[in-house]
Amino acid sequence: MTRLRCFAGTGLLSLAALLASAQAIDNTQAFRNIQSDHYFRIYYENDFFTGTDRDYTQGILLEWVNPSIRRFPLTALLWRPAHSMVRYGLALENNGYTPDHIDYAQIQYGDRPYAGALLLKTFLTAIDAHRHERVSTTLSTGLIGPWAGDEDMQKDIHHWIHYIQPLGWGNQIKNDIALGYQVNYEKEFLSWEDHFSFSSYASARVGTLSTKAAAGATAMIGDFYSPFSSDKKGSVKKFQFYVYDLPAVSVIGYDATLQGGLFDRSSVYTIPEKDINRITFVNRWGIVIIFRRLYLEYYQSGPTQEFSTSVYHKSGGLQIGFGF
């Protein structure tokens, strides 16, 4: 029988106005759902997919979800709501940022600084199937600066593909501590069988790497299991396919990849606080194919100007996941 569901929640709009945006790769959002509590997934994002090589130039994340992670010491620091089905995970994330002309060794004033970040993410996703809600909590621990290894990584990749060698990494943001705590809240308001889902998205993040706030909405169309269901049906439906779109508005408090670390203020070049755009908009769309326990995703996204002299810039990404 065809069914149409609508859900409403009080106070959601006021919550959304206060909450925060995600790190460069947010693996917990509803449109990236895998209907299992055991899986491994690899994310790779690069602006090469959109024909550029600047700003947010590359992101890599290795994600492992398994019930045994609930015993990992840092998991005790994660908030989880009651009466929910919970998935526990760990992830290792690396993000790299460069200015426009990577073949220049000198500082490019008015452009983005070179920066790299390496993070261990401890996270959980709690799904309340009755309320059609998802709450994800993430603790990020790591560092920003040369120790993240982005200079060597970008040089090696460009050597493999016979592309321009970056020359300006000597000017990158200095080493500093990167700590962050993030809570995402998503609620499904409208759905139609396994073919359509519309949900709100809000997130809060504070930390030494970034402090941001964001709210948006996600639409999914195709043939898929609802990410707001706790049913473990991933082994039953052999093939899933859907497209999604997520527009979101962010309020920016601090961004160490632009402004430098909070503790080491000796970076040779950063973006002045007065030039940071405190409100940005980003739209992300993607295509997802899930065959049995194989997860494939391609997407593109592009934020508006992050600071007064920056330009509009898109990036693309590929994700591959394996359930087990």
Side-chain angles (χ1 to χ4, degrees), residues 162-177:
H162 304 288
Y163 193 59
I164 301 169
Q165 281 294 304
L167 302 179
W169 277 101
N171 305 316
Q172 69 178 295
I173 300 295
K174 296 295 186 180
N175 288 315
D176 210 331
I177 296 172

Side-chain angles (χ1 to χ4, degrees), residues 36-56:
S36 172
D37 59 2
H38 295 71
Y39 63 84
F40 178 79
R41 183 159 50 181
I42 301 171
Y43 297 76
Y44 182 67
E45 302 180 348
N46 198 305
D47 54 2
F48 175 80
F49 296 113
T50 55
T52 60
D53 197 13
R54 60 170 300 157
D55 294 330
Y56 173 53

